[in-house]
Amino acid sequence: MECPHLSSSVCIAPDSAKFPNGSPSSWCCSVCRSNKSPWVCLTCSSVHCGRYVNGHAKKHYEDAQIPLTNHKKSEKQEKAQHTVCMDCSSYSTYCYRCDDFVINDTKLGLVQKVREHLQNLENSAFTADRHRKRKLLENSSLNSKLLKVNGSTTAICATGLRNLGNTCFMNAILQSLSNIEQFCCYFKELPAVELRNGKTAGRRMYHTRSQGDNNVSLVEEFRKTLCALWQGSQTAFSPESLFYVVWKIMPNFRGYQQQDAHEFMRYLLDHLHLELQGGFNGISRSSILQENSTLSASNKCCINGASTVVTAIFGGILQNEVNCLICGTESRKFDPFLDLSLDIPSQFRNKRSKNQENGPVCSLRDCLRSFTDLEELDETELYMCHKCKKKQKSTKKFWIQKLPKVLCLHLKRFHWTAYLRNKVDTYVEFPLRGLDMKCYLLEPENSGPENCLYDLAAVVVHHGSGVGSGHYTAYATHEGRWFHFNDSTVTLTDEDTVVKAKAYILFYVERQAKAGSDKL
C-alpha cells in the first residue's frame, strides 16, 4: 500500500552509525535480546523483535504514541512518530499506523537507501562468515558441524527460505517441491536465462509493485530458487525475485497478506505448465522433454494442450460416472488432474487430536473412500439427462483411470459457514510408506502391484485457526532423512514427529519397481 506517513517517520541516515554490528538478519532485540525476526525502526534505528516473537517492535511504536502530559510536544517530537520499521531479513517495510506493508518511498528515496545499506551489511557479514568457515575447514574443525547418521558422518546442507512478509505459504510449497527429486532435477538442469543485463547484471534487486518489467520468467526464477536450495552455501535464501514474478503474473497473490498454500501451489504449477508449453529460452518445450530420457511418452498427461514436465509427473486422469436414477442412463467423462482435493468425512470433524478418545481416528483411506464412494447428488446438482431431456436425480462416482507419478492429496480443511471460512482441525492418520491406491483404480488388473504403491515425500502443515491467518511449515524427506522447514529455519526431525502432523497437503511419490530403475 501507499503509506502517507513515510516523510514524518523515516528520519535516520542510510549509513547511520547507530546500527548494531554484524549481520542485520541476526541483530538482537534491544529488550529481550532475541535474534528472531529483527525489525529496525526507521525513526531512531533501534532494533526490536517482531509481533510473532515477543512483539517489542510494536510496543516500541505504541510507547512512542503516549502523549506527554507535563510538557507540550516539540515540533520534532510530533514528526518523529516511530511508525515505520523495516524487516532486517526480507527488507520489507511496515507501517504500524496503516497496519500494512509499504511499497512507496520518500521523495529522497530514503527507504531504498536504508534497504541497500542493510543489504550491503548483510553481504559483508556473509562474506566474512564464509571466510571464517573456510578457515575452520582448513583447520580441520568441521567435525563440530557434522551430524552422524547410521554410523557415517555427513553434513547438513539444507537451506531455509526467508519470509518476505506472510510468505510462509509460498516457502512451504517451494520446499516440498524441491524434495520431489525428478521434478526438481528437471528445472535445475534447464539452461539459465539472464533477464537482467548492463549495470544491474548479477545484482540482487528488491522489487516493488511499482517497478515496470514485463520481461519476467517464472520458470527461470523457479529454477534459480531450486538451485539455491540444498547447496549448503547459506543457511537461508531470500526468494524475492521469484515473489516479484509471482506478483507480476499472479495478481491474486499481490501484497503481504496470508494466502492459501494449496491455491498457490495450483497457480504455480498451472503457470509453470503454460510457460513450458510456450517454449523456454529459445528451446522448444518438446525438445526439452525429449532430451529428458526419464520422461517417457506413456507417462504424459495432457492438460490444456501439450504435455510438460508438470503434467508428466503430477498429471493423472479421473473418470466421472453419472447415472440417471429415473432411466438408468450412464454418462462417463474423463478429467485430468494435478491433485485430488479430499473432504474430511463429517463424522470425524469434531475429533481434533490423535489421542482424543471419542471414536476411531480418521485415516487418509477414509478420506479417499469418501472421495470415490457412490454419491447421490442433491437437489441443487440435478443432472441433465439427455435421454429424459430434463434435469433428474442421479448418482455420481469417481474412479482413477490413471495414477500420476507424484500423487498430491489436498485435505479440505477450510469450509464456508454462513459468514466465515472455518478450519477443520481434525487429525488425519496417513502412512509414510506403502499407500496402496489399487482399490481406487478403474482397471486395477492392468496395473502392476508396485505401480500402485506410494511413499510419502513431503507434507505441508497449516498451524492456526483460519485460512487468512496462522502459519505454514513443511516436512520433507531428503536422502533418507526427514527435515522440518519453517521459513529460514531448517531442522532435522524424525518419522514419529512427521506422522503426528495435521497434514494439509501430502505429496506421495510412486514406488519404483525393482526391475524398472529407470522409472521415477
Side-chain angles (χ1 to χ4, degrees), residues 56 198 209 313 341 466 474 483 506:
H56 288 126
R209 242 184 297 181
I313 291 179
S341 291
F483 292 84
L506 298 148

Side-chain angles (χ1 to χ4, degrees), residues 304-324:
N304 296 328
S307 174
T308 67
V309 67
V310 176
T311 52
I313 291 179
F314 289 94
I317 300 175
L318 280 176
Q319 176 179 290
N320 183 359
E321 279 184 9
V322 180
N323 284 278
C324 177

Side-chain angles (χ1 to χ4, degrees), residues 429-481:
E429 195 173 53
F430 55 90
L432 292 180
R433 302 176 188 85
L435 174 64
D436 192 350
M437 296 295 294
K438 192 167 188 176
C439 60
Y440 310 108
L441 281 175
L442 180 63
E443 298 175 342
E445 65 277 2
N446 295 335
S447 298
E450 289 289 332
N451 293 342
C452 300
L453 293 179
Y454 287 80
D455 298 323
L456 189 66
V459 187
V460 174
V461 181
H462 178 268
H463 311 266
S465 58
V467 67
S469 59
H471 184 59
Y472 286 98
T473 64
Y475 294 94
T477 180
H478 184 80
E479 296 180 351
R481 291 178 292 167

Side-chain angles (χ1 to χ4, degrees), residues 200-243:
T200 60
R203 282 179 54 192
R204 289 178 60 195
M205 297 179 63
Y206 183 89
H207 297 286
T208 65
R209 242 184 297 181
S210 59
Q211 286 180 276
D213 182 7
N214 295 320
N215 190 22
V216 295
S217 168
L218 179 64
V219 171
E220 169 65 3
E221 295 304 333
F222 185 67
R223 183 195 69 81
K224 289 179 182 177
T225 302
L226 294 182
C227 288
L229 302 175
W230 296 107
Q231 289 184 343
S233 59
Q234 52 187 329
T235 57
F237 173 74
S238 184
E240 70 263 21
S241 295
L242 175 62
F243 194 42

Side-chain angles (χ1 to χ4, degrees), residues 342 364-372 409 435 437 440:
L342 311 178
L364 187 59
R365 186 168 293 277
D366 292 318
C367 300
L368 285 165
R369 189 181 300 115
S370 175
F371 179 78
T372 56
L409 301 176
L435 174 64
M437 296 295 294
Y440 310 108

Side-chain angles (χ1 to χ4, degrees), residues 122-133:
E122 185 75 27
N123 292 336
S124 299
F126 175 72
T127 302
D129 186 58
R130 186 168 57 181
H131 181 71
R132 181 182 60 82
K133 287 181 179 179

